[in-house]
Amino acid sequence: MNEAVPVSRVTDHGTVKLMPDVDRRRAWLLTVDGAPQSYVDLDEPAHLEFEYTRRLGHVLDTVAEPGRALDVLHLGGGAFTLPRYVAATRPGSRQDVVEADRGLLELVTEHLPLPDGADVTAHGADARAWLAAAPADSADVLVADVFGGSRVPAHLTSVEYAREAARVLRADGVYVANLADGAPFGFLRGQLAGFAALFEHTALIAEPGVLRGRRFGNAVLVASGRPLDVPALARRTAADAFPARVEHGPALRDFVGGARTVRDADAVPSPEPPAGAFGIG
């Protein structure tokens, strides 16, 4: 058996590396310019390694009854961790993955094949441009996990972008996004304000230390026109190996405070993470 070796490729978006995990036979870590982006175990596609992907997985588990096939749109591809997860946990789901870095797409397609039978279509395109051209009412779930380096691009942070997401989602659809911020949470509060203006129900999932402003970190935003199954989501996130809290209702409105929605004309990328926040040794 050939020993797995690291793979590296320079793309228009940075230096992409695939590094084998010495503890799991067919598992790989994807980094872009040294920042961890994805972790995939080809033998166990339902295995989610990173804290934030586990929280996104909890949302995907609770948006519909177990095993029900869904139409899922992923903005941001990485190593296709979540499309693999959905294919494993919700067989028959139809999924579109939009990834701007075509070189990354080629690398992942070449070295990390999707499971047989996974109905996943990859699109090499800018997420906002692809979303604008997507059919209305065509997705049950929209997962946004787009980072340019370690920052969410500005054009994916505005209320105009949120309006396009709402248009593409079905009436009972769910939007879920991986974001990153730290105290005083100016970026995160603005994102919540924008989605609350368009979706009746919102929630935020994050580690207590991040919510208390002790450190910079990931936070998962969830938005829908229908009530979210917050009790089930809270149980799953609290019992996780990396416990998190689900903020919603009055507590979340207090967190947002008087934050204003962000428009295209004023949009900026998410904050630059502090040195070492997301790097690996």
Side-chain angles (χ1 to χ4, degrees):
M1 182 184 298
N2 294 329
E3 183 178 350
V5 296
V7 180
S8 180
R9 186 170 299 174
V10 177
T11 72
D12 291 340
H13 294 255
T15 299
V16 179
K17 292 183 179 180
L18 280 175
M19 294 180 286
D21 186 338
V22 297
D23 296 320
R24 301 175 75 97
R25 190 174 69 88
R26 297 182 70 219
W28 296 84
L29 172 68
L30 170 72
T31 67
V32 179
D33 289 338
Q37 295 287 341
S38 300
Y39 181 99
V40 165
D41 187 329
L42 297 179
D43 288 332
E44 295 185 48
H47 173 76
L48 300 177
E49 181 79 7
F50 293 168
E51 296 177 28
Y52 82 86
T53 56
R54 294 172 69 88
R55 290 162 193 159
L56 293 170
H58 294 320
V59 177
L60 289 165
D61 289 343
T62 57
V63 295
E65 58 270 22
R68 176 185 151 194
L70 298 171
D71 293 334
V72 185
L73 170 59
H74 302 263
L75 301 182
F80 287 37
T81 303
L82 288 169
R84 297 169 199 271
Y85 181 81
V86 171
T89 59
R90 297 183 177 277
S93 293
R94 293 182 299 178
Q95 302 185 78
D96 287 286
V97 180
V98 183
E99 171 58 58
D101 191 338
R102 293 174 185 268
L104 186 153
L105 271 183
E106 292 172 0
L107 184 70
V108 169
T109 301
E110 180 181 348
H111 292 277
L112 305 178
L114 287 163
D116 292 340
D119 186 356
V120 179
T121 304
H123 308 270
D126 172 78
R128 177 79 178 267
W130 198 92
L131 190 66
D137 304 319
S138 58
D140 297 309
V141 184
L142 195 165
V143 181
D145 186 14
V146 184
F147 282 76
S150 296
R151 307 177 75 182
V152 180
H155 69 304
L156 302 180
T157 68
S158 67
V159 70
E160 290 92 342
Y161 157 75
R163 191 172 292 118
E164 287 290 355
R167 181 187 65 81
V168 170
L169 281 167
R170 296 183 175 125
D172 62 347
V174 177
Y175 177 89
V176 54
N178 176 37
L179 304 173
D181 201 2
F185 302 111
F187 171 77
L188 190 55
R189 292 167 67 233
Q191 295 305 291
L192 286 161
F195 278 88
L198 296 166
F199 294 88
E200 185 176 355
H201 303 276
T202 56
L204 183 69
I205 309 168
E207 183 207 326
V210 172
L211 290 172
R212 294 186 185 119
R214 293 177 180 169
R215 69 178 185 88
F216 189 98
N218 292 95
V220 171
L221 182 157
V222 190
S224 181
R226 63 173 168 89
L228 301 164
D229 192 348
V230 172
L233 193 54
R235 285 194 299 271
R236 287 174 179 269
T237 55
D240 194 272
F242 307 101
R245 275 185 11 219
V246 179
E247 295 287 0
H248 65 102
L252 188 58
R253 288 192 289 272
D254 288 345
F255 178 85
V256 175
R260 296 181 178 181
T261 59
V262 179
R263 304 197 68 84
D264 276 335
D266 307 313
V268 296
S270 63
E272 186 77 44
F278 296 139
I280 56 174

